[in-house]
Amino acid sequence: MIRRRTALSAAAGLLAATPLLTACGSTPHPGAAAVVGDDRITVAQLQRQVKDVRDAQESSPQGEQLTANSARLSQDTLIRLVQYRIIEKAGHDNGVDVTRRELQEERSQIERANGGADAVRGRFLALGIAPEQIDQALAMDLVRTKLDGKLGAARTNEVLMKTSQALRVDINPRYGAWDAKRGTARPLQEPWLRPVAPPGAESPV
């Protein structure tokens, strides 16, 4: 498996849910798949990301299985994009960022630990993340890891909730309704804030 608490494990839904984000919705935003603060994720942007994943899946030897296992790809992709923006804003507000060198080192370490670049691309693709989207996924996971290190997991969860409240996440009903308790959109089942481990407990992988 991919080592550490990477975007791969988060996307796979391996972590238990805690009370998460608060958001408002129901405001019409023509042409937008979601609005996160002043940032619009347009339907066209979302469709391009989904197309990149589908094209990569179809060119894979496991294309048929990958496609069958990603029936909710549009919703999954949109939620991931919303979560990225919340994490990025929380990092910026708390003096946390990721350098290009850090990202390159992280990707190299993951590839060495998991059978090489092709194997890692395949694992991410199975989770609906195209090869050209991997760096963004890893960067946001590094921001989250740094926030945990700087603030502690409990405080980071609180910061992310407050950031979401301030950004007033609004999802186009076409893609579901934002679930304030899970930090995702129904009908997705992808909790993303990490549980707070008791003192002395080993961090989830």
Side-chain angles (χ1 to χ4, degrees):
M1 286 186 64
I2 296 294
R3 67 171 186 81
R4 291 178 47 188
R5 297 169 296 176
T6 67
L8 195 55
S9 63
L14 298 179
L15 303 177
T18 61
L20 304 184
L21 305 179
T22 301
C24 72
S26 74
T27 303
H29 297 283
V35 177
V36 186
D38 294 328
D39 188 7
R40 289 165 55 90
I41 303 171
T42 68
V43 173
Q45 288 171 331
L46 175 61
Q47 289 175 340
R48 282 195 297 270
Q49 290 245 340
V50 170
K51 183 178 185 301
D52 288 343
V53 176
R54 286 297 185 215
D55 288 347
Q57 288 178 338
E58 289 171 3
S59 65
S60 168
Q62 294 79 36
E64 185 174 346
Q65 180 180 354
L66 289 171
T67 300
N69 290 341
S70 57
R72 294 198 297 253
L73 181 59
S74 292
Q75 291 91 337
D76 288 354
T77 301
L78 179 60
I79 297 311
R80 189 174 293 118
L81 293 175
V82 170
Q83 292 173 351
Y84 287 169
R85 284 156 173 79
I86 294 169
I87 294 171
E88 184 176 38
K89 180 67 164 60
H92 181 269
D93 290 348
N94 288 274
V96 170
D97 60 10
V98 173
T99 67
R100 185 65 190 171
R101 180 175 180 177
E102 288 173 327
L103 178 58
Q104 290 173 340
E105 289 175 350
E106 176 75 359
R107 184 157 183 172
S108 294
Q109 290 172 7
I110 287 174
E111 289 173 352
R112 286 196 299 270
N114 294 275
D118 288 344
V120 169
R121 284 194 293 268
R123 290 173 184 264
F124 274 97
L125 189 57
L127 296 167
I129 298 174
E132 58 269 32
Q133 299 165 7
I134 293 174
D135 279 355
Q136 184 183 27
L138 291 178
M140 289 303 98
D141 189 69
L142 279 171
V143 171
R144 175 59 203 261
T145 298
K146 284 188 171 187
L147 283 170
D148 282 348
K150 182 175 183 177
L151 305 176
R155 175 60 180 158
T156 298
N157 283 356
E158 181 182 345
V159 164
L160 289 170
M161 286 192 287
K162 290 182 176 179
T163 301
S164 177
Q165 290 174 332
L167 291 173
R168 298 174 65 83
V169 178
D170 192 357
I171 298 290
N172 187 321
R174 171 180 177 183
Y175 301 101
W178 192 253
D179 188 330
K181 293 183 178 180
R182 294 183 61 85
T184 187
R186 297 188 300 270
L188 288 180
Q189 301 296 318
E190 183 181 305
W192 65 280
L193 287 187
R194 296 170 184 147
V196 180
E202 185 176 354
S203 296
V205 177

